[in-house]
C-alpha cells in the first residue's frame, strides 16, 4: 500500500513555545490512525498542519503524493498561492471539535456550499449528492433545518457530511466528540466507524480509548510535541512500552 | 446538648392533613401608590402639551398645511433623500474597503486606513464640506494619467465639483470613516472558526467573505449602520451652508421671505420624522432578513 500521508521531521513553534519537535509519521491509504495524548501535546496542531491551517517551520508533509503548501520546481520549493492551497484542501476533509457549521445557512446549504463554489459542481448535482450524504448520516429529514435547531451530535454529523461532500481522499477529525454531551458521543462515533469500515483513510485525534481500540489500525501516542509510541491498538493500548503512555492510559481508562 | 440541629424528622414525616392548605386563600398583589401619582402628573403634562399644540395660534397650522406639500418643499425633500442615498452608498462602499484594509496583514494598508479614519473622524463635517466647496482654490485642474507623469484627460475642477457633488463627496468621505469602523466591528464579531471552516473546505477567498463572513457580520453591523444612515439623513441639513436646496435650506429661504419661522420649521421637522420612520421600518425588515438561523 502507498503512503497517503507522509510527515517528515515536522517542527512548529508558537513564539517561544515548541509545539511540534520533529514528527515523523506515515499513514497508508485506507488506514485509520488514531492520535492520543494529553492536552498541549501537539495533536491538534499536527492535524491542522496536514491541512495547512498551520504552516510548519521546518520539515514537510505530503498528502496523496503532493507536497502540502509548496510546489517543487527543480531544486526549489515555491510557496503556493492561497488559491492553490484552497484547491489542495478540497482533497482533505476536516471535522472540527466545535463543528463550525455556518449558522446562517440551512443544513443543505452548508453541505452544497463547497462543492458548488470550490469544485464548481452544478447545483442540482451537488444537492442530490448532499441529500444522499444526509441519508448516510441519518439526517435526511433535517435538510431544511438551521444548525442551531439541531443537537450537538446532529450538528457534528452534518459537519461530517459537509466534509464528505468534497469526496476527499483523506479525512481529519479534531476531537470530534469532545464538545458533545456523553449521550450524544455514540451516534457520531458510529458514523466515523462506518466510514472506517468502508476504507476511508483517516486521522482521528480523540480521547475515546474504546473507539481507538475498536477502529484504529494504528494508534499514535503523542506527548510534548513528539510521537512517543506507535503501533497496533493491542501494542499501544494493552502493552504500552513507554512510561508516559502507561501514565496517560492509567488516567483515562 | 449540641449546637448542630438534628433534621426535624418528625415534622418532615407529617401527613398531608397536618399541613396548612393555602389553595383556597385570595392573593392580594402589591400596590404601587407612587406609580399612580407619577402617572397622573405625567398625564396632566402630556395633556397640557397637546392642548398647547392645538390651541396656541403661534404654531400657525394653516401655514404649515399650505407649505407642507408645495413643489419647492417636495423638491427639497427629494434632494435630501438623494444626498442621504449617495452619501450612504458611497460612504459604506469606501467604508467596507477601509475596513478590510485595516483587517489586512499589510502594515502599510493598515496604517493608511487607520490614518484616514483618524483624520476624517477628527474634522468636523461642516469644516470638511467647506473645504470641498472650495476645492477649486486648491486644485485648479484634475488630470487622469500616469501618476506624477503626463495626463490623458483633464478637467477644470470648477466644472467637475459642483455644489451638489461637493456635498455628496463630503458626506460620503465623512461617512466612510464611521462605516469602516462599524464594518470592522461586525467582521471581528464573527467567530474565527467560521473562516477556518470555510478555508478548510477550500471555498474561494472572496466567496468566504461574501457568503460566510459578511452575512453573519451584518447582524452586528445593521443596528449601528441604521444609526449612521439616520444621523446622516438629518446631518444633510448641514449642507445648507453650501446653499444647496435641500429641505432645511429651502425652509430657511421661505421663512426668510415670509417670516413664518415656526410653522416652516415644523414642516421640516415633520418631514424628517416621516422619513426617519420609513428608515426605521426598513431597518426592521432588513434585520429580520439577516437573522436567519439565529436564536436571538
Amino acid at each position: 500500500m502507498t503512503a497517503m500521508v507522509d510527515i517528515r521531521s515536522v517542527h512548529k513553534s508558537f513564539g517561544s513555545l515548541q509545539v511540534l519537535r520533529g514528527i515523523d509519521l506515515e499513514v497508508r491509504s485506507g488506514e485509520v490512525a488514531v492520535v492520543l495524548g494529553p492536552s498541549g501535546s501537539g495533536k491538534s496542531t499536527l492535524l491542522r498542519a496536514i491541512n495547512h491551517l498551520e504552516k510548519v517551520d521546518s520539515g514537510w508533509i505530503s498528502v496523496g503524493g503532493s507536497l502540502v503548501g509548496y510546489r517543487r520546481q527543480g531544486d526549489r520549493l515555491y510557496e503556493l498561492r492561497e488559491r492553490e492551497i484552497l484547491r489542495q484542501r478540497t482533497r482533505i476533509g476536516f471535522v472540527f471539535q466545535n463543528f463550525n457549521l455556518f449558522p446562517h445557512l440551512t443544513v443543505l446549504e452548508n453541505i452544497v456550499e463547497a462543492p458548488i463554489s470550490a469544485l464548481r459542481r452544478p447545483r442540482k448535482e451537488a444537492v442530490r449528492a448532499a441529500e444522499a450524504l444526509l441519508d448516510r448520516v441519518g439526517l435526511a429529514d433535517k435538510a431544511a433545518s438551521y444548525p442551531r435547531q439541531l443537537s450537538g451530535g446532529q450538528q457534528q454529523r452534518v459537519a461530517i457530511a459537509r466534509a464528505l461532500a468534497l469526496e476527499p481522499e483523506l479525512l481529519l477529525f479534531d476531537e470530534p466528540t469532545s464538545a458533545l454531551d456523553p449521550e450524544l458521543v455514540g451516534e457520531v462515533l458510529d458514523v466515523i466507524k462506518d466510514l472506517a469500515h468502508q476504507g476511508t483513510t483517516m486521522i482521528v485525534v480523540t480521547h475515546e480509548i474504546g473507539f481507538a481500540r475498536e477502529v484504529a489500525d494504528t494508534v499514535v501516542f503523542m506527548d510534548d510535541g513528539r510521537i512517543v509510541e506507535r503501533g497496533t491498538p493491542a501494542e499501544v493500548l494493552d502493552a504500552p512500552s513507554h512510561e508516559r503512555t502507561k501514565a496517560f492510559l492509567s488516567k483515562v481508562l | 446538648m449540641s449546637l448542630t440541629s438534628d433534621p426535624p424528622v418528625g415534622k418532615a414525616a407529617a401527613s398531608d392533613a397536618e399541613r396548612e392548605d393555602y389553595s383556597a386563600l385570595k392573593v392580594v398583589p402589591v400596590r404601587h401608590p407612587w406609580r399612580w401619582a407619577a402617572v397622573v402628573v405625567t398625564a396632566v403634562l402630556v395633556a397640557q402639551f397637546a392642548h398647547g399644540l392645538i390651541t396656541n395660534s403661534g404654531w400657525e397650522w394653516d401655514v404649515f398645511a399650505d407649505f407642507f406639500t408645495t413643489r419647492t418643499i417636495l423638491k427639497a425633500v427629494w434632494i435630501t433623500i438623494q444626498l442621504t442615498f449617495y452619501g450612504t452608498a458611497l460612504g459604506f462602499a469606501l467604508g467596507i474597503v477601509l475596513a478590510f484594509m485595516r483587517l489586512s496583514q499589510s502594515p502599510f494598508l493598515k496604517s493608511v486606513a487607520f490614518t484616514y479614519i483618524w483624520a476624517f473622524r477628527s474634522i468636523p463635517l461642516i469644516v470638511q464640506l467647506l473645504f470641498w466647496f472650495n476645492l477649486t482654490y486648491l486644485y485648479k485642474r484634475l488630470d487622469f494619467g500616469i501618476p506624477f507623469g503626463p495626463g490623458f484627460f483633464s478637467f477644470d475642477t470648477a466644472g467637475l465639483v459642483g455644489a451638489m457633488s461637493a456635498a455628496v463627496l463630503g458626506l460620503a468621505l465623512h461617512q466612510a470613516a464611521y462605516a469602516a469602523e462599524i464594518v470592522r466591528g461586525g467582521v471581528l464579531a464573527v467567530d474565527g472558526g467560521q473562516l477556518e471552516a470555510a478555508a478548510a473546505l477550500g471555498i474561494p477567498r472572496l466567496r468566504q467573505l461574501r457568503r460566510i463572513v459578511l452575512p453573519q457580520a451584518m447582524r452586528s453591523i445593521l443596528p449601528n449602520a441604521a444609526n449612521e444612515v439616520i444621523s446622516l439623513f438629518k446631518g444633510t441639513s448641514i449642507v445648507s451652508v453650501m446653499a444647496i436646496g435641500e429641505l432645511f435650506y429651502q425652509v430657511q429661504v421661505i421663512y426668510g421671505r415670509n417670516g413664518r419661522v415656526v410653522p416652516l420649521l415644523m414642516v421640516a421637522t415633520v418631514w424628517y420624522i416621516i422619513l426617519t420612520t420609513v428608515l426605521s421600518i426598513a431597518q426592521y425588515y432588513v434585520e429580520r432578513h439577516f437573522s436567519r438561523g439565529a436564536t436571538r
Side-chain angles (χ1 to χ4, degrees):
Chain A
M1 278 205 270
T2 52
M4 173 59 76
V5 182
D6 197 357
I7 301 171
R8 288 291 168 84
S9 62
V10 161
H11 292 255
K12 169 80 185 172
S13 303
F14 293 118
S16 61
L17 181 70
Q18 281 193 297
V19 192
L20 299 177
R21 309 163 181 249
I23 301 283
D24 285 279
L25 183 65
E26 223 175 274
V27 178
R28 298 182 314 276
S29 192
E31 183 177 346
V32 176
V34 171
V35 184
L36 301 175
S39 305
S41 58
K43 312 180 298 281
S44 288
T45 308
L46 177 64
L47 208 62
R48 294 160 58 81
I50 297 172
N51 203 10
H52 210 60
L53 284 174
E54 300 289 355
K55 211 162 120 179
V56 302
D57 298 336
S58 66
W60 48 264
I61 300 172
S62 81
V63 172
S66 57
L67 219 47
V68 172
Y70 297 89
R71 174 168 38 95
R72 187 180 167 166
Q73 209 167 319
D75 55 354
R76 285 181 191 208
L77 288 181
Y78 289 92
E79 219 176 299
L80 290 183
R81 294 169 171 283
E82 184 169 357
R83 180 194 296 260
E84 296 164 308
I85 291 169
L86 288 169
R87 180 164 299 274
Q88 271 191 340
R89 289 204 188 112
T90 60
R91 292 161 46 211
I92 305 169
F94 200 105
V95 177
F96 295 88
Q97 181 177 351
N98 298 317
F99 332 134
N100 287 342
L101 292 176
F102 306 130
H104 61 302
L105 302 180
T106 62
V107 164
L108 188 80
E109 290 298 330
N110 261 279
I111 299 174
V112 299
E113 175 59 31
I116 290 174
S117 69
L119 299 182
R120 308 210 159 276
R121 294 263 164 82
R123 193 182 161 83
K124 252 189 190 155
E125 192 185 302
V127 168
R128 217 175 309 127
E131 281 165 349
L133 281 170
L134 278 175
D135 197 35
R136 196 161 149 195
V137 298
L139 293 171
D141 55 331
K142 299 292 185 192
S145 305
Y146 284 97
R148 289 201 180 104
Q149 297 164 337
L150 306 180
S151 73
Q154 290 172 328
Q155 289 191 46
Q156 192 58 299
R157 285 188 279 157
V158 171
I160 293 172
R162 181 174 73 172
L164 288 173
L166 292 164
E167 295 166 22
E169 50 190 15
L170 169 69
L171 271 178
L172 305 173
F173 291 89
D174 188 7
E175 303 199 21
T177 58
S178 297
L180 297 177
D181 291 340
E183 55 183 345
L184 302 176
V185 168
E187 61 186 72
V188 171
L189 290 184
D190 284 344
V191 170
I192 303 176
K193 277 180 209 165
D194 231 35
L195 291 168
H197 292 142
Q198 287 160 25
T200 317
T201 314
M202 53 175 95
I203 303 177
V204 186
V205 169
T206 184
H207 292 296
E208 300 285 333
I209 306 292
F211 170 81
R213 195 188 301 280
E214 191 179 339
V215 181
D217 298 307
T218 309
V219 174
V220 177
F221 179 73
M222 278 181 73
D223 187 31
D224 202 20
R226 291 196 183 83
I227 291 179
V228 176
E229 197 163 350
R230 61 170 300 188
T232 63
E235 289 166 357
V236 178
L237 298 176
D238 300 333
S241 58
H242 206 280
E243 278 309 313
R244 278 298 296 135
T245 322
K246 281 178 197 163
F248 177 77
L249 289 173
S250 73
K251 267 183 252 166
V252 293
L253 279 177
Chain B
M1 194 176 142
S2 81
L3 286 171
T4 53
S5 60
D6 289 318
V9 179
K11 268 183 200 163
S15 72
D16 281 351
E18 289 168 31
R19 285 200 198 145
E20 292 263 24
D21 181 14
Y22 300 110
S23 62
L25 303 179
K26 190 175 183 308
V27 177
V28 181
V30 175
R31 306 289 184 201
H32 300 281
W34 285 109
R35 191 185 293 170
W36 281 106
V39 166
V40 169
V41 171
T42 313
V44 168
L45 289 173
V46 169
Q48 275 187 310
F49 179 71
H51 181 255
L53 269 185
I54 297 163
T55 58
N56 187 338
S57 59
W59 292 105
E60 297 183 275
W61 290 109
D62 51 327
V63 181
F64 171 87
D66 282 347
F67 280 98
F68 189 62
T69 52
T70 50
R71 267 184 66 82
T72 340
I73 292 294
L74 290 181
K75 251 174 84 178
V77 168
W78 178 235
I79 288 176
T80 294
I81 292 172
Q82 280 179 310
L83 282 170
T84 309
F85 176 78
Y86 291 123
T88 304
L90 295 174
F92 271 83
L94 180 58
I96 289 172
V97 173
L98 285 166
F100 282 105
M101 279 169 74
R102 262 203 91 173
L103 289 166
S104 81
Q105 303 284 326
S106 153
F108 179 73
L109 294 179
K110 260 187 193 170
S111 38
V112 168
F114 177 84
T115 309
Y116 178 96
I117 293 164
W118 166 75
F120 278 82
R121 286 200 307 195
S122 311
I123 308 168
L125 178 56
I126 191 161
V127 175
Q128 207 211 115
L129 285 170
L130 290 172
F131 259 117
W132 287 108
F133 197 51
N134 295 298
L135 185 71
T136 36
Y137 175 77
L138 279 173
Y139 301 98
K140 300 263 182 301
R141 301 179 64 75
L142 261 176
D143 287 347
F144 286 85
I146 299 161
F148 305 109
F152 302 133
F153 312 99
S154 61
F155 302 95
D156 282 340
T157 46
L160 188 71
V161 185
M164 184 72 181
S165 24
V168 167
L169 200 61
L171 290 172
L173 292 178
H174 172 81
Q175 199 52 51
Y178 291 91
E181 289 296 88
I182 291 172
V183 172
R184 189 171 70 95
V187 171
L188 287 179
V190 177
D191 180 46
Q194 292 290 309
L195 264 182
E196 211 160 60
L201 286 164
I203 298 170
R205 182 82 181 138
L206 213 66
R207 175 95 176 176
Q208 287 180 24
L209 292 179
R210 233 190 50 233
R211 176 82 167 152
I212 308 298
V213 176
L214 277 181
Q216 294 186 60
M218 283 306 267
R219 294 259 299 145
S220 38
I221 290 174
L222 275 171
N224 294 322
N227 264 353
E228 282 301 310
V229 174
I230 287 171
S231 94
L232 175 69
F233 165 65
K234 289 175 298 176
T236 53
S237 55
I238 290 181
V239 167
S240 61
V241 298
M242 295 161 79
I244 290 173
E246 50 75 51
L247 185 55
F248 187 57
Y249 178 79
Q250 214 56 265
V251 163
Q252 283 177 303
V253 167
I254 297 172
Y255 71 57
R257 225 166 34 217
N258 66 11
R260 300 286 171 72
V261 179
V262 171
L264 277 155
L265 283 180
M266 278 312 282
V267 166
T269 304
V270 171
W271 272 114
Y272 283 124
I273 289 174
I274 289 174
L275 292 172
T276 303
T277 308
V278 171
L279 285 172
S280 304
I281 293 169
Q283 175 189 1
Y284 170 79
Y285 284 101
V286 176
E287 276 187 17
R288 204 173 64 168
H289 171 77
F290 280 102
S291 67
R292 284 170 306 170
T295 45
R296 64 180 176 90

